[in-house]
Amino acid sequence: MKSITYCFIVLLTIMVHAATGFSQEAIVSSIQLDNSLSLDGLLVTPNGTLYGTEGYDGTRLYKIDMDGTTSVVANGLNGPIDIDYDENGDLFVSTFNNKGLYKITLSEPVEVDQLATVSTGPSGVVVNRATGDIYVSHYGAGFPGNGNSIYKVAPDGTSSVFVQGNGLQVPVSLAIDEEGNLYAPNISNARLYKISPEGEISLFVQLPTATLHPFNIGHIAYANDFLYVTGNSSQPLVFRVALDGTYEVIAGDGSVGYQDGNGSEAQFNAPNGIAASVTGDSLFISELNEPSLIRIIDLRGLISSSTGQSVFGDYVLAQNTPNPVRSATSIEFELPQTEQVTVSAYSIEGQLVDTLINERVAAGRHTINWDMRTLAPGTYIYRIRAGKFQAEKRAIKL
């Protein structure tokens, strides 16, 4: 009953936003768990089941129902960190404290076997379901780690170094796209690297970092031509990265908390594990500092940057990119007809800080630039008025 209620509330919220014109945002909600769990990596399998690992000081793999009910699937794992599945539905879990990669067969009874031994402190796990190969990122020992490698484990358990160095510094998590390219974010400097199937490494995107903080990136997930990355304990934000290397914040207003609602107004506290739903239109996120919640991000209200089209109408105000902002950012908007357009920027207290445009604008898509170098760090609101259409979004200045 709770899961039906949750789905109805999310759908109703989206419909209300569509009717009022404030539709191009993700929507954040929460599941209250029946137990206080320390969760690290998350996974959604093809049948829609959500799993979570207990982390480096835990031993268990959990199944999580949408009404918050949790159950132990496997125990005795020595620091389970990340998890993925193969084409047969078997699960693969990295175990931080014994260099392990475990295979879990969901039969009756559940079978747990160590498939391979990799290096000290294995972390991210992703399966190439076309080949059966499993890739494991090397977090390493120490604080925040000294790993610089990604291991390749064949279906028979044979393990070897796939790539090493070339910018990799504590790659905490892994994702893979349909072409077999790997994506590995460094936990400290927030650099996201792309690794081709042949092992060629290139810097894909530099995500924002908090000053002198060792944990700037959590886990990463891939769905529908986008990468989704959590901000870990330094940044209460969730990022979306397009395959052209551009990124935006889709959830989190930059302050610490547990606020649900529109993505630009939602609050997180150390978002870490992340998994996409089967259809890729929702995300599930674990919170390092709140073990009794799973956060859900409904993505259906977002504009697809690959098509540039609104899900709900012809008037569009897009999220600024990049966001957060160090110096300047771009804002796109779209009009179905010629209108008098005003785009203004305000402090979080409501004080006008800039008028970005105030003129008659032709139908179509338009981009304006916002130079924020003179503004103090913090959260700002930019608002569009075009005829009867009004919308606003938030930008974060670092």
Side-chain angles (χ1 to χ4, degrees):
M1 180 62 69
K2 290 182 180 178
S3 61
I4 295 174
T5 303
Y6 155 73
C7 293
F8 174 75
I9 290 172
V10 169
L11 180 59
L12 179 62
T13 305
I14 293 174
M15 291 171 65
V16 171
H17 282 219
T20 59
F22 293 80
S23 58
Q24 287 79 42
E25 284 206 60
I27 299 174
V28 179
S29 59
S30 299
I31 297 175
Q32 182 71 47
L33 303 180
D34 61 358
N35 283 297
S36 184
L37 309 180
S38 174
L39 294 175
D40 203 326
L42 297 176
L43 172 70
V44 177
T45 55
N47 65 3
T49 303
L50 176 64
Y51 294 94
T53 59
E54 198 170 21
Y56 76 94
D57 56 354
T59 61
R60 288 166 286 199
L61 172 66
Y62 293 98
K63 176 177 174 285
I64 304 164
D65 294 331
M66 290 300 101
D67 64 357
T69 303
T70 61
S71 56
V72 176
V73 176
N75 206 342
L77 300 166
N78 199 344
I81 299 294
D82 204 10
I83 180 174
D84 202 3
Y85 67 91
D86 68 6
E87 62 178 1
N88 299 316
D90 295 325
L91 307 182
F92 296 86
V93 178
S94 58
T95 52
F96 191 85
N97 297 318
N98 67 345
K99 306 180 182 179
L101 176 66
Y102 280 74
K103 179 179 180 180
I104 300 176
T105 303
L106 299 175
S107 56
E108 288 293 341
V110 172
E111 297 180 7
V112 180
D113 300 292
Q114 185 165 353
L115 176 67
T117 298
V118 290
S119 189
T120 300
S123 185
V125 174
V126 72
V127 178
N128 185 331
R129 285 182 273 278
T131 66
D133 293 322
I134 306 110
Y135 295 90
V136 182
S137 67
H138 177 209
Y139 183 101
F143 181 83
N146 61 358
N148 69 344
S149 307
I150 296 173
Y151 283 74
K152 180 179 179 179
V153 180
D156 64 1
T158 305
S159 173
S160 61
V161 175
F162 178 57
V163 291
Q164 189 172 57
N166 291 300
L168 293 176
Q169 297 178 22
V170 196
V172 64
S173 183
L174 291 172
I176 191 168
D177 65 19
E178 289 87 354
E179 304 301 322
N181 298 299
L182 298 178
Y183 299 88
N186 290 346
I187 193 170
S188 293
N189 61 22
R191 292 178 180 173
L192 176 57
Y193 285 86
K194 181 177 180 179
I195 303 102
S196 73
E198 296 74 33
E200 299 176 355
I201 302 178
S202 58
L203 179 61
F204 187 60
V205 64
Q206 171 69 70
L207 293 171
T209 60
T211 304
L212 301 178
H213 200 289
F215 301 118
N216 283 288
I217 290 295
H219 287 257
I220 184 172
Y222 172 80
N224 298 341
D225 296 327
F226 289 101
L227 297 157
Y228 297 93
V229 187
T230 55
N232 208 302
S233 53
S234 77
Q235 303 181 95
L237 306 170
V238 179
F239 301 93
R240 180 169 82 161
V241 184
L243 293 186
D244 62 2
T246 58
Y247 70 88
E248 61 183 324
V249 172
I250 61 165
D253 70 356
S255 56
V256 172
Y258 302 102
Q259 178 68 40
D260 289 339
N262 290 345
S264 62
E265 300 172 353
Q267 295 175 348
F268 296 84
N269 189 346
N272 186 34
I274 186 169
S277 64
V278 176
T279 56
D281 60 9
S282 297
L283 302 173
F284 298 87
I285 293 175
S286 62
E287 296 261 25
L288 283 174
N289 296 332
E290 182 42 77
S292 65
L293 289 180
I294 291 290
R295 313 299 298 279
I296 301 176
I297 303 179
D298 190 304
L299 302 170
R300 287 174 292 178
L302 285 174
I303 301 166
S304 169
S305 65
S306 62
T307 65
Q309 297 300 309
S310 168
V311 176
F312 296 108
D314 294 325
Y315 286 95
V316 173
L317 175 65
Q319 185 65 51
N320 63 299
T321 57
N323 188 39
V325 186
R326 292 194 180 278
S327 56
T329 189
S330 296
I331 299 171
E332 283 193 357
F333 64 91
E334 190 171 326
L335 306 173
Q337 60 189 22
T338 301
E339 297 274 17
Q340 178 69 30
V341 175
T342 302
V343 179
S344 304
Y346 301 83
S347 68
I348 196 66
E349 293 82 17
Q351 180 183 2
L352 179 67
V353 297
D354 206 346
T355 298
L356 306 178
I357 187 173
N358 184 16
E359 60 188 61
R360 197 160 178 80
V361 179
R365 188 186 305 174
H366 305 272
T367 302
I368 54 178
N369 295 315
W370 183 11
D371 188 342
M372 301 180 70
R373 285 176 294 183
T374 61
L375 298 178
T379 301
Y380 294 85
I381 297 168
Y382 59 95
R383 183 177 298 144
I384 186 172
R385 294 179 183 270
K388 295 182 179 180
F389 173 71
Q390 298 182 43
E392 64 181 39
K393 290 187 180 296
R394 297 192 179 197
I396 298 169
K397 173 64 163 52
L398 297 177

